[in-house]
Structures are given as structure tokens and as C-alpha cells.
Amino acid sequence: MRNVLAIMKRELRAYFDAPVAYIVLVAFLVVAGWMLFSQVFLIDRADVRGLFAPSPFSPSLLLVILAPAVTMRLVAEERKTGTIELLTTLPVTDTQVILGKYLAALGLLTIALLATLAYPITISFLGPLDWGPVLAGYVGLILFAAALLAIGVFCSTLTDNQIVAFIVAFILCAALYFVFWLQILLPQSLGAILEYASVSFHLDNMARGVIDTRDIVYYLSLVIAALFLSVQSLSRRHA
Amino acid sequence: MADVAGESIIEARGLRKEYGATVAVDDVSFRVARGEVVGFLGPNGAGKSTTMKMLTGYLRPTRGAAVVGGIPVAEDPLGAQRKIGYLPESAPLYDEMMVIDFLHFVGELRGVDAATRQTRLRTVCQRCGLADVLGKDIGQLSKGYRQRVGLAQALLHDPDVLILDEPTSGLDPNQIVEIRQLIRELGKDKTILLSTHILPEVQASCTRVIIIHRGSVVADDSTAALTGGAGALIQLVVASANGALDPTQVRARLAAVPGVRSVEPQPQPSEAGALAFLVRADGAGDPRADLFRAAVAGGFVLLELHREKASLEQTFRSLTKGEGLADA
């Protein structure tokens, strides 16, 4: 555990030493705010569902781009510069390496997400706001981000090219995101399976204010599967 | 095979590594005893780095086993890695980190607790001469300083075993001397395996040499034995006392001197009319006095007479012949 924390601390510092962290934070705050308020003023109600509900114009879509951007360097860069050899020949396990890096990325996006708390707080001054669904929405959004980041970490272990890591992760995340809208075009049985596989379907449930164990299990299994594959991929190193 | 007295600290048992169809390392076995400083020598691409990566647990051997400090690396990689200080080839470091932060990070992962870390850091920084750059970003450092940071990182936990992959590559001559001195000093209380393709390096710092070629060990002996084997070499430049010299005649005369095994003509020396030869002595004998007398008797003047110790270079060349650029 101490090793995981040490690696996480280093990665977080690397984010904040470079402009990455600030770009992510500012971009997310500004765009998410714009997306939210353009809807709030349209429907003229103190409702922040727009912050959580998946749609082709929502903060969650922004995460589909930001999560791969945050994770792309984590392993790929170390492969490129050769520091992965230094790191993995220290007495740390591959699992600790992956967990430390993953938690740093999750930490960064959690900070970005929690920063948007400013918006519901602002809106609560404009009209009565039901905090229950807001809480559920945040839990959903953080779980959603956690799943995308785990996929991103896995893609970063596959290559020593950050751009390739980004593109592959983005395609995977976008596919899992948009399949939610695609399923209506398919036969019902297949559609139901695809719906369950979609990251947006489960976010949609939570955005309604319902915390269902099935949704939590879905996200957590995605995280565990992606991280498990990342560890496997890292330990299959060849030089 | 040299006699390895005492307990062996590093042991390679039939290591083999394949990358797809290519065999990078094939059946490499050797032992390094406690306190030895062993040079791991070979042309570029011979498999030095691959072998070291297997010893440090970075690569898994296709076959065979590596044992460090009595711990099989494949079975307990962390246990073995705790005993090793490793400097990978070309010292890969986190460029965006400050030197001091980087060393703290490594110390933390090495399990050096905060209190000991301070004193260890001080010792190591002093030893590697890092005091002036502690607050700098690693990315801004010169090659020499990077290499020193790499060494410092390997020394932090005061390991028994140091595995250094080309510790002096890319350094200027002054820096090379500094690093060599440091290695010699470290060799007093540590077991060191260092790889290099710079031959004088091995003669300067190592007690034993392992030469690897095309993935296999081709020599494993003490530095002294490998440098003394081939017989002395003598550089000769002669000129005529009067008139021109007949090269074949001079050569025949030199070859007739007792204790001379062979005489090879060398490229033209700078002096006009002079001839240069490389004389190889037979065994350990020293034919210089006889060469001088032969010159006097033959009526020519010795401009230069200079004995070279048979160098490791010759041994190396003869063992790793046929290594064209294409193989590198």
C-alpha cells in the first residue's frame, strides 16, 4: 500500500508540474458549466440533471475525451523513455505500479468533478434544489470516470506511443458511450445486451437519482477487468 | 573458467532469451563471488543488456534462472530486487522531477524509512557529487550528472550487489575518470557487475572479465589472465643509416631475432624513408635488446622501440571476430 501511495503521489505531482492538470480542470469546469447552464436557463428550473445525464452534449461526453487524455502518458511515456525499467526493477509489483498510476488519474478527475459542485451550489440559491439526486449523480459520474480511466490505463500499457494510447482508449470509451443510443436500431434481445454493456446506460440510471447495486457492480467490474488486463499487459514486457 | 572462491552472489544458470525467432542470449552461465568487480564485455548487441535485464527481474528468461544473493529472481523478484542496485542502460530517469524528489521517490519505493533516508541521501549525494544539482530538474542535467543521479539512485538502499549497464557511456573523458574512481571505491565493499564495450574501462576497474559474443559467454577469466595471454607487442620504426632500405630484407632480419614470433609491416610512419613494424614476442620473453643488436648489425637506425602490453583489446578482437556493423 505504501508503494501504491508513493507512485500515486509521484504521478499526481507530474500532472500538476506540467500544465496537464490545469488544462483538464479548467476545460472541464468551463465546458461543463456552459453545458449545464444552457439547459438550466432553457427549462427555467433549479435542476442539475444536465450535469450527469448522458447525452451528445453533456459533461460525461467530455469525460470520454478527457479520461484518455489523462491516462495516455501513464505507462506509454515510461515505455518510451525507458523509465519503466527503472520503476519495475525497484521492489514493487506490477499491480502496485498500475494501481498507483490509476489512482493518480482518478484523483485528478475526481478533483475536476468535485470542482463542479460550485454549479449546484450556485443553482441552489436560484431555486429549491433536491440534493439527493445530486449526490447520486456525483457518485454515478465518479464511477463512470473510474471506468473510463481504467480503460485508458489499459490502453496506455499497450504501446509506447501516447497518441496511439489516446486514440485507442478514445475509440473504446466512445463505443461504450454511444452504443446506448445505437441499441434502439437493433433487435430487442441484442439491444438489451448492448444497453447493459453501455457506460451511459448505467450513468443515466444514476442521473435519475437511483443508486442501484447493478450499476455499481457494472462499473466496478469494468474497472477491475481493465486494471487486471493492464497488470497482465505490463508484466508481458519484452524490453 | 576462473576459480570462484567463496559464496556466489550473482549467478546466471543457463540463461536464454528469445524474442520471437531471434535468440538474444543463449545459455549464458556465470557466477560472481562476493566482493568481485566483474566486467561484462561484448560488442554492441551481444546480449549484455538482455542478460542484465534478466538478472534484475525486468525480463523473464525463456529458459534458465538468475539467482541474486541466494534468491531466485523468477520466484521472488522483489526479494532479489531489494538486494540489487541497478543502473539501466543510458540511465532512464524522470526528467520532470527534481533530483532530490526523485531520490526520495526511489528511497520510498526501496523501503528506506524517512529517518534513514536523510542520512543515506547525504552519503550518496556526497559520494556521487550531487550536492550542487539537488534542486534542479533532471531534464536539465548534463549527461554526466544524469549518470551520477542514476548511480546515486542505485546506491540509496546500500545494496550488496550493483548491476551497472554501461555506466560511462556518453561521458566525456573527465567524467569517465570520475565514474571509474567511484566504481573502484564502491568495489571495496560491494559486488559489482558492470557492462561496457569500452575496453580500457575493464582494465581500469575490474578484477574479472566475462566476454559475451552473439549471446554466449566466450571468455570468463581474471583481467590479468586475459591481458597476459597473447605475448608482448613491440612497435618498431627503423630508418636507414645510409641509402634506402629494403623492407623485405629488414623484415627477414627482424624475424630472425630469437624470441620473435612474427613481424608485420605497419602503415608508413611520418618520417620519410622510415619503415614501421609490429613485432610480436614469443610468450613472455622480451626480445628488445636482441632487436636493438640486430638493428645495429644490419646497419639501420632504430627511431622508435616501444613495447605495448598485450591488451585486452586483442583478446577481445580475437574472441569476437567477424562482428560486422550489420550484426551490431
Side-chain angles (χ1 to χ4, degrees), chain B residues 9 11 13 15 54-57 61 64-81 83-84:
Chain B
I9 293 291
E11 209 182 328
R13 293 181 190 152
L15 287 176
M54 289 190 277
L55 290 174
T56 53
V67 181
V68 176
I71 301 173
V73 179
E75 280 150 49
D76 181 9
L78 300 198
Q81 283 161 348
K83 300 197 173 254
I84 304 174

Side-chain angles (χ1 to χ4, degrees), chain B residues 9-10 32-38 159-163 186-187 189-193:
Chain B
I9 293 291
I10 306 175
V32 179
R34 186 181 287 282
E36 274 191 304
V37 180
V38 174
D160 293 338
V161 180
L162 278 176
I163 295 183
L186 292 169
D189 54 319
K190 298 200 187 307
T191 310
I192 303 180
L193 179 67

Side-chain angles (χ1 to χ4, degrees), chain B residues 143-221:
Chain B
K143 193 105 204 280
Y145 270 115
R146 285 182 72 92
Q147 210 74 24
R148 287 196 229 174
V149 174
L151 263 176
Q153 155 291 119
L155 291 170
L156 257 185
H157 54 304
D158 201 11
D160 293 338
V161 180
L162 278 176
I163 295 183
L164 312 174
D165 200 350
E166 308 213 344
T168 59
S169 81
L171 302 188
D172 71 35
N174 292 334
Q175 295 166 332
I176 289 180
V177 171
E178 284 173 33
I179 296 282
R180 268 187 210 158
Q181 264 164 3
L182 183 57
I183 289 171
R184 247 198 309 265
E185 206 177 296
L186 292 169
K188 285 176 195 157
D189 54 319
K190 298 200 187 307
T191 310
I192 303 180
L193 179 67
L194 69 94
S195 84
T196 177
H197 56 264
I198 304 161
L199 300 164
E201 184 135 318
V202 174
Q203 274 167 314
S205 3
C206 305
T207 51
R208 216 176 101 217
V209 184
I210 296 168
I211 299 179
I212 182 170
H213 178 50
R214 291 194 176 155
S216 306
V217 174
V218 289
D220 178 354
D221 216 330

